[in-house]
Amino acid sequence: MTKLITFLLLILLCFSCKNENRTSQTSETFTETTIKKTEFAIVIHGGAGTILKKNMTPEKEEAYQAKLEEAIRVGYKILKNGGSSLDAVEKTINVMEDSPLFNAGKGAVFTNAETNELDASIMDGKTLNAGASAGTTTVRNPINLARAVMEKSEHVMLSGEGAETFAQEQGLTLVEPSYFYTENRFNSLKRAKDSEKIELDHDGKTAFYDLYIKDSKYGTVGCAALDKNGNLAAGTSTGGMTNKRYGRIGDAPIIGSGTYANNATCAVSSTGWGEYFIRAQVAHDISALMEYKGLSLKEASKIVIQDKLTDLGGTGGIIAVDKNGNMVMEFNTAGMYRATMNDKGELTIGIYEK
Ligand code: ASP
């Protein structure tokens, strides 16, 4: 009898230990996926890359921080007043597109042919509707075009001249291609071409893989938001990568790579070396890990950026928010311009790794 009781007690002990383990292993997932953290939330990025404090002047740092704050406050106000996450995403991105500090809109980088070709996309987590534009040269705010494609056309992605005709029909603001000229970006192109020459002279590597890009920063802008109605949205806008050729299109306008939103999981916007983000399907992969494996946003983002993307050789990062308002900023570069705000109006701004 005593033996039987001891045996039963042992089994009970084992069972409770096992349960305790399970609780501690999944407690992060449990809290992240079940507890509503904030009524609404917004998170933005202004590009990732080799952003080092030693290369920054205090003035430059201040300028970036001020612009990030100005942009995120625009979206915050919309959300606070009960506006939609889509409006918050679009209007927040507009502020960064109009600033020469970021590689989007006014600060877009140059192609090898010394032109500016812009890409953008937006996604509505409620309907899973999405819109994107690629390779435009005259649309002042490509994120507005992406939204028009989503809401006013029966397509998901328009490119080049056709996209511009559509933009005109929709009454969007068009500019001369020269509007996108900035001296800084033009100098970056010259540097990229020079380093390309050096590399070709030395070891004959292909033009697009160059030391300059490895050592550069990606200035794409993006925003993800959760509104008071529980709707998620994400958007991304970019000039692409310096010295890109042949009508190259990056990840920013590719739904599932540069942008993804789904009310059941999260909203994500990416920045980094686009070719890798397309191959790893970064934004959708994060959502899929949450949907099919029940991972938290934090866990899913870490796996996709620190394991999958990194193993592939890709660099960059993402910002994301889940349906409970948990916000994540994950990157494998030295820095990423970023900011978050919650329903209490608490603001965080970051540039470097920690
Ligand atoms: N992802 C963008 C692209 O490859 C670049 C960036 O993030 O700045 O076009």
Side-chain angles (χ1 to χ4, degrees):
M1 186 63 184
T2 336
K3 264 190 187 164
L4 184 71
I5 291 174
T6 321
F7 180 69
L8 282 174
L9 275 174
L10 266 174
I11 287 186
L12 210 69
L13 198 69
C14 278
F15 186 71
S16 72
C17 276
K18 219 174 155 193
N19 260 353
E20 224 168 74
N21 268 345
R22 191 169 335 140
T23 319
S24 68
Q25 257 172 22
T26 56
S27 61
E28 185 183 275
T29 316
F30 184 77
T31 20
E32 280 216 355
T33 50
T34 54
I35 297 171
K36 190 129 194 141
K37 278 243 172 109
T38 172
E39 218 191 336
F40 62 91
I42 179 163
V43 52
I44 62 174
H45 70 76
T50 317
I51 309 165
L52 299 169
K53 196 160 176 82
K54 67 175 167 77
N55 298 335
M56 271 281 189
T57 61
E59 295 77 41
K60 223 170 137 190
E61 199 176 279
E62 219 171 276
Y64 273 105
Q65 282 169 345
K67 198 46 86 173
L68 287 168
E69 178 167 352
E70 182 191 334
I72 201 165
R73 284 198 182 281
V74 166
Y76 168 80
K77 208 168 153 199
I78 292 171
L79 297 171
K80 190 172 188 284
N81 292 335
S84 73
S85 49
L86 275 173
D87 283 346
V89 164
E90 182 183 12
K91 300 286 182 258
T92 299
I93 287 180
N94 283 162
V95 176
M96 294 189 279
E97 283 179 332
D98 290 344
S99 161
L101 289 176
F102 305 101
N103 170 20
K106 177 65 189 160
V109 297
F110 281 85
T111 68
N112 181 267
E114 303 186 354
T115 57
N116 307 97
E117 297 177 7
L118 287 73
D119 302 334
S121 67
I122 195 162
M123 185 158 182
D124 177 0
K126 183 182 174 193
T127 57
L128 300 187
N129 204 355
S133 67
T136 58
T137 58
T138 62
V139 179
R140 177 175 150 165
N141 293 103
I143 195 72
N144 301 4
L145 173 56
R147 184 154 182 197
V149 172
M150 174 172 84
E151 290 175 347
K152 313 262 174 60
S153 86
E154 49 200 2
H155 306 297
V156 168
M157 185 192 274
L158 301 181
S159 71
E161 267 179 43
E164 274 156 3
T165 307
F166 177 74
Q168 197 174 9
E169 280 174 18
Q170 292 301 318
L172 300 184
T173 308
L174 300 183
V175 289
E176 286 300 317
S178 59
Y179 163 83
F180 297 108
Y181 177 90
T182 55
E183 203 182 336
N184 265 345
R185 299 296 188 201
F186 196 67
N187 288 340
S188 297
L189 175 68
K190 280 201 273 183
R191 278 204 307 274
K193 284 187 170 179
D194 287 347
S195 74
E196 180 182 281
K197 249 188 255 149
I198 295 166
E199 227 178 276
L200 284 172
D201 288 351
H202 283 134
D203 56 14
K205 274 189 188 144
T206 61
F208 197 64
Y209 179 85
D210 66 52
L211 287 174
Y212 177 77
I213 286 171
K214 272 255 154 183
D215 200 30
S216 177
K217 81 175 174 58
Y218 311 106
T220 291
V221 306
C223 177
L226 167 74
D227 64 28
K228 286 184 179 173
N229 291 321
N231 290 323
L232 289 166
T236 311
S237 182
T238 189
M241 282 174 74
T242 303
N243 204 21
K244 64 184 182 180
R245 297 167 187 234
Y246 318 118
R248 178 263 191 191
I249 291 166
D251 60 315
I254 311 282
I255 298 303
S257 299
T259 299
Y260 194 74
N262 181 344
N263 274 6
T265 54
C266 61
V268 186
S269 169
S270 313
T271 172
W273 194 335
E275 277 66 13
Y276 292 93
F277 277 70
I278 295 173
R279 290 166 57 202
Q281 283 292 292
V282 166
H284 180 262
D285 214 36
I286 292 171
S287 170
L289 282 174
M290 294 175 72
E291 187 172 357
Y292 302 132
K293 277 192 136 184
L295 297 195
S296 70
L297 176 62
K298 203 166 153 195
E299 291 166 333
S301 306
K302 206 158 174 240
I303 289 174
V304 174
I305 298 299
Q306 308 300 350
D307 299 344
K308 267 192 91 169
L309 180 76
T310 306
D311 290 352
L312 214 55
T315 48
I318 57 99
I319 50 102
V321 58
D322 72 12
K323 59 183 178 175
N324 293 313
N326 294 293
M327 291 180 273
V328 159
M329 295 164 288
E330 190 74 44
F331 50 98
N332 68 0
T333 47
M336 180 166 81
Y337 296 108
R338 58 198 189 274
T340 65
M341 276 189 98
N342 61 16
D343 62 358
K344 289 175 207 71
E346 290 163 340
L347 169 75
T348 71
I349 298 182
I351 297 180
Y352 315 105
E353 200 178 343
K354 281 285 171 274

